[in-house]
Amino acid sequence: MNVNLSTTSRSRILICSQDRDAVRTMDNIISSLAAFDTTVVSLDALVQNKTFDADSFDAVIIDLGNGVALDNPRLAEVRGRFGKVPVIFVSDELTPERMRQLIKLDGTDWLPKPLQPRLLIDTVNTVTQRLKANANNVYAVLPCGGGAGATSVAIMLAYYLSRARKRSQPTVALFDLDFSSASTSAYLNTDSGYDLTDVLGKPERIDLEFIDIIKRKHQSGFSLFSFASPALMTNPDAAELVLRMLDIVTFQHDHTVVDLASCETLWSDNVLAAVNSAVIVTTNSVPAVRRAKETLKRVSEIRGSGKGISLAINKVRGGWFSAGIKQKDVQRLFGDAPVTILPDEPDMMTEALNRGVLPLEVDARSRFCSKVQVLADAMALVAGSAR
């Protein structure tokens, strides 16, 4: 049986119980988070309905109450219907005999009643993350120096990756890892709203509920994580904090675009080594192209190969280059790495920045945007083929 994974970040949780108070508690706790959708059925109905679509859920919670339900021989059949879908059992304190019966059902986990909200959330989050571990793509955007335009590229990548497909609506996060400026929130006129220094040295506070609270939603559909917390750039505790946040964010979304800082940070190597693909953004001056070549070499060494790395040469006017660099020179410099040329459209970009909107909203026929759209499709294709 194939597990039917959700095409959105909202994992579908089935709650089965005869205890109305327990149902109310579990439903309120789980459905309060944007990451989950809940469905409630009685345990009797679940046992009796042999045509129940078990593959429609990402995890199941079965309340066994005082354990009497374990005597029902059809309970094992119910458990078998869910196959690889994680099943979490909850119950009152059980006798050793009842516990042996429970173990035979091969549940993913067991939680005692009365339920602790934090433990329930963490358990459900953990089992759904395991299922989604191979279904989420992460893309890094790495600027070669300030002013390369990487943030604009990252924003439009997030937009194009979040477009609805024929049968699904992908969920996308844009995570700005340059905490010195929080440029993405500034570009999109969105209040970052949280100082991450409050949780430095407290990684245990970074959980699903925390991420749900601090994220912002852009009107075009993607989630935005961008925070002005300059102290993180040099604090030794920041790497653990950042990587823990990224771990949860990427599990929640089908696609995550990571906008890296132009300077090296305590977490950049870890991020570059783990992402599905990376795009190095540079401009068309000779020094910038040279630096891009050095960056390509460094990122290839971090990742163990050049696979999944591409380049975007931004702010190009009048054909390829006006600085004496020709197309054949570019191909020779970067070898097999794909190169995208992004045209310079300063008036459009300035207006987009001043209005806090996407460049596409200023000019629907923007050549810059159409080129980034092609880049987004190519990066998604590479990520998908790498699974």
Side-chain angles (χ1 to χ4, degrees):
M1 174 170 27
N2 294 323
V3 179
N4 185 11
L5 292 175
S6 170
T7 58
T8 75
S9 63
R10 299 177 71 86
S11 296
R12 295 160 293 183
I13 311 300
L14 178 64
I15 301 173
C16 313
S17 178
Q18 298 295 109
D19 183 341
R20 290 185 180 180
D21 290 337
V23 165
R24 188 178 303 110
T25 298
M26 289 187 283
D27 192 25
N28 288 343
I29 292 171
I30 297 171
S31 63
S32 67
L33 298 178
F36 302 115
D37 280 325
T38 58
T39 299
V40 175
V41 299
S42 70
L43 184 55
D44 286 345
L46 183 66
V47 171
Q48 294 168 13
N49 187 353
K50 292 187 178 182
T51 62
F52 195 84
D53 186 8
D55 279 350
S56 294
F57 299 95
D58 299 299
V60 182
I61 302 173
I62 298 179
D63 180 7
L64 299 172
N66 60 9
V68 172
L70 288 163
D71 292 332
N72 188 334
R74 295 182 63 183
L75 189 60
E77 177 189 331
V78 170
R79 171 64 186 96
R81 276 187 233 157
F82 289 103
K84 294 181 180 179
V85 177
V87 176
I88 302 166
F89 290 107
V90 302
S91 73
D92 299 322
E93 186 176 349
L94 300 176
T95 65
E97 180 58 34
R98 295 284 194 210
M99 189 58 76
R100 282 193 291 272
Q101 289 177 282
L102 176 62
I103 291 172
K104 290 179 182 179
L105 292 176
D106 192 26
T108 307
D109 208 336
W110 170 76
L111 298 176
K113 296 170 69 177
L115 290 166
Q116 300 177 29
R118 173 55 53 209
L119 184 58
L120 177 62
I121 289 173
D122 288 346
T123 302
V124 173
N125 186 44
T126 297
V127 299
T128 54
Q129 282 185 358
R130 288 173 188 165
L131 282 176
K132 286 186 162 188
N134 295 319
N136 305 79
N137 298 319
V138 188
Y139 318 88
V141 179
L142 177 61
C144 278
T151 295
S152 297
V153 172
I155 289 171
M156 292 310 299
L157 281 175
Y159 168 76
Y160 284 117
L161 289 167
S162 66
R163 290 172 305 157
R165 306 301 193 264
K166 284 185 178 180
R167 299 180 62 185
S168 68
Q169 175 68 58
T171 55
V172 176
L174 173 56
F175 205 132
D176 183 352
L177 291 188
D178 188 350
F179 302 104
S180 64
S181 59
S183 294
T184 54
S185 61
Y187 279 33
L188 297 172
N189 194 26
T190 303
D191 180 18
S192 58
Y194 194 89
D195 186 356
L196 291 176
T197 56
D198 291 345
V199 290
L200 272 174
K202 303 171 186 175
E204 69 281 356
R205 289 185 55 185
I206 309 303
D207 56 19
L208 186 67
E209 189 172 17
F210 177 82
I211 294 298
D212 207 45
I213 290 170
I214 65 172
K215 75 179 177 184
R216 297 291 181 267
K217 195 78 172 180
H218 189 261
Q219 61 183 7
S220 65
F222 59 82
S223 298
L224 178 63
F225 298 86
S226 180
F227 312 95
S229 300
L232 266 67
M233 302 301 287
T234 55
N235 192 294
D237 292 329
E240 182 179 7
L241 172 68
V242 170
L243 295 175
R244 191 178 180 99
M245 290 175 65
L246 270 174
D247 187 44
I248 298 175
V249 170
T250 55
F251 274 123
Q252 280 189 298
H253 296 84
D254 298 315
H255 304 284
T256 301
V257 178
V258 180
D259 188 11
L260 288 163
S262 57
C263 61
E264 289 192 38
T265 59
L266 297 171
W267 51 82
S268 29
D269 284 6
N270 296 81
V271 172
L272 288 168
V275 296
N276 296 86
S277 60
V279 56
I280 299 168
V281 182
T282 188
T283 54
N284 64 329
S285 69
V286 173
V289 170
R290 285 174 178 167
R291 183 172 180 182
K293 181 181 179 182
E294 295 168 359
T295 303
L296 173 62
K297 180 181 178 182
R298 181 175 69 84
V299 176
S300 299
E301 291 171 351
I302 292 170
R303 294 175 59 80
S305 75
K307 186 177 180 181
I309 307 174
S310 61
L311 291 103
I313 303 179
N314 196 18
K315 303 182 180 181
V316 176
R317 296 186 180 186
W320 274 84
F321 295 96
S322 58
I325 305 175
K326 299 180 180 179
Q327 180 175 353
K328 64 179 181 180
D329 297 323
V330 173
Q331 299 297 336
R332 178 174 54 80
L333 278 170
F334 299 124
D336 295 331
V339 178
T340 298
I341 304 300
L342 301 176
D344 191 21
E345 296 176 328
D347 293 341
M348 177 197 68
M349 287 298 185
T350 299
E351 184 175 347
L353 284 172
N354 289 338
R355 292 169 52 191
V357 300
L358 300 176
L360 193 68
E361 296 177 73
V362 176
D363 182 359
R365 295 187 295 178
S366 161
R367 292 186 299 119
F368 169 85
C369 293
S370 63
K371 290 282 189 177
V372 176
Q373 180 178 356
V374 173
L375 178 61
D377 292 340
M379 293 176 75
L381 182 63
V382 169
S385 65
R387 289 188 202 161

